[in-house]
Amino acid sequence: MSKLILGNGLLGKELVKQTGWNYISRKEHNIDFTKPETYNYLIETFDVVVNCIAYTDTYDEDRQKHWDINYKGVIDLVDICNEYNKKLIHISTDYIYTNSKEEASEEDVPVHCDNWYGYTKLLGDSYVQAKSDNYLLVRCGHKKEPFIYDKAWLNQVGNFDYVSVISDLIIKLIDKDSNGVYNVGTEKKTMYDLAKQTKSDVSCDTYLHPQIPKDISMNLVKLNEVIK
């Protein structure tokens, strides 16, 4: 089935690199995710739409930016995919498990973090699950490779990994025509553990901004059953 990636950021670029799938970018193709008429005609010829567009500035307290892209934009995209009978692959985030239980499963209650990013991503997830006729919803954390900072948190734990690794797992789910909600990641680790893999001289940091969650670990049993 033909596939189209929406977005050309860190994850979108890596998915294109690994697959060669077509993509459209807000900058390159002059689309506005808050105005569906600027892109809806572009997805008509594809069977699967992979949404990598999101407003990811966790610290930004501008409610409207998060609301317009992470929630209202998702509403529009779900409705368009339903109208055109397209399967939607929606990329969410492990941040929605902030303040939830340790190693939360897809069936556990997600509790949003104390910022508009986490809140609006959770709202977007909810609309996909409630209204999409055909979807795969991926919750993950993907990082730049190699690690780009001098310090890494020793007290943040999760199943995040480098973007090349997470992209490979997402592609496997898509190729298997998986449906529903999936936590996507690798073994549980600290951010410092991950950083050490690609930056040997990284130092550990124990200060977390109040908006940065300490535990975003996820249960990966469902994922591992599919890709084993």
Side-chain angles (χ1 to χ4, degrees):
M1 300 196 303
S2 59
K3 302 172 181 68
L4 176 69
I5 297 171
L6 295 184
N8 193 33
L10 181 62
L11 182 63
K13 285 180 179 177
E14 184 62 31
L15 290 172
V16 171
K17 177 182 175 182
Q18 292 191 26
T19 64
W21 295 341
N22 289 284
Y23 73 92
I24 57 176
S25 162
R26 285 184 285 181
K27 292 182 179 179
E28 292 185 40
H29 301 95
N30 197 32
I31 69 169
D32 185 341
F33 198 54
T34 68
K35 298 177 180 178
E37 65 273 13
T38 66
Y39 71 86
N40 60 354
Y41 66 96
L42 295 171
I43 71 176
E44 289 187 54
T45 59
F46 295 91
D47 302 306
V48 178
V49 178
V50 184
N51 181 34
C52 296
I53 293 178
Y55 186 66
T56 59
D57 188 346
T58 309
Y59 300 105
D60 192 342
E61 296 181 0
D62 187 332
R63 171 189 181 276
Q64 201 62 45
K65 290 181 181 178
H66 293 286
W67 192 266
D68 287 345
I69 297 175
N70 297 337
Y71 184 39
K72 291 172 65 178
V74 173
I75 290 176
D76 292 331
L77 180 59
V78 168
D79 293 347
I80 291 169
C81 287
N82 286 344
E83 179 183 356
Y84 293 155
N85 195 29
K86 312 298 182 184
K87 181 173 183 177
L88 172 61
I89 315 297
H90 180 63
I91 306 301
S92 184
T93 173
D94 50 5
Y95 266 44
I96 66 150
Y97 289 120
T98 305
N99 298 319
S100 185
K101 64 183 292 186
E102 184 178 0
E103 297 185 19
S105 78
E106 293 85 350
E107 302 304 317
D108 288 316
V109 178
V111 183
H112 67 80
C113 45
D114 187 21
N115 56 59
W116 286 115
Y117 169 66
Y119 179 57
T120 53
K121 289 295 287 184
L122 180 56
L123 289 175
D125 278 20
S126 300
Y127 194 85
V128 171
Q129 294 176 79
K131 294 296 186 178
S132 177
D133 294 334
N134 186 8
Y135 71 90
L136 167 64
L137 195 157
V138 173
R139 292 170 174 164
C140 64
H142 52 278
K143 310 302 176 184
K144 289 183 179 180
E145 183 179 1
F147 196 77
I148 62 174
Y149 303 105
D150 294 328
K151 295 181 179 181
W153 294 311
L154 189 62
N155 54 345
Q156 184 184 53
V157 62
N159 304 93
F160 35 70
D161 212 315
Y162 290 112
V163 65
S164 60
V165 177
I166 298 300
S167 293
D168 178 67
L169 295 173
I170 293 172
I171 293 164
K172 286 183 168 111
L173 284 176
I174 295 173
D175 286 344
K176 288 181 178 292
D177 198 23
S178 302
N179 290 279
V181 182
Y182 278 83
N183 295 333
V184 172
T186 54
E187 74 286 347
K188 187 162 66 172
K189 65 187 77 66
T190 68
M191 188 63 71
Y192 178 71
D193 292 332
L194 180 65
K196 288 287 287 185
Q197 295 177 18
T198 59
K199 189 177 177 66
S200 60
D201 61 345
V202 69
S203 58
C204 63
D205 188 359
T206 57
Y207 171 75
L208 280 179
H209 187 282
Q211 290 185 344
I212 300 297
K214 288 186 176 181
D215 190 340
I216 43 178
S217 59
M218 304 181 293
N219 182 301
L220 302 177
V221 170
K222 186 176 178 181
L223 169 73
N224 291 331
E225 287 178 347
V226 171
I227 65 172
K228 62 183 178 182

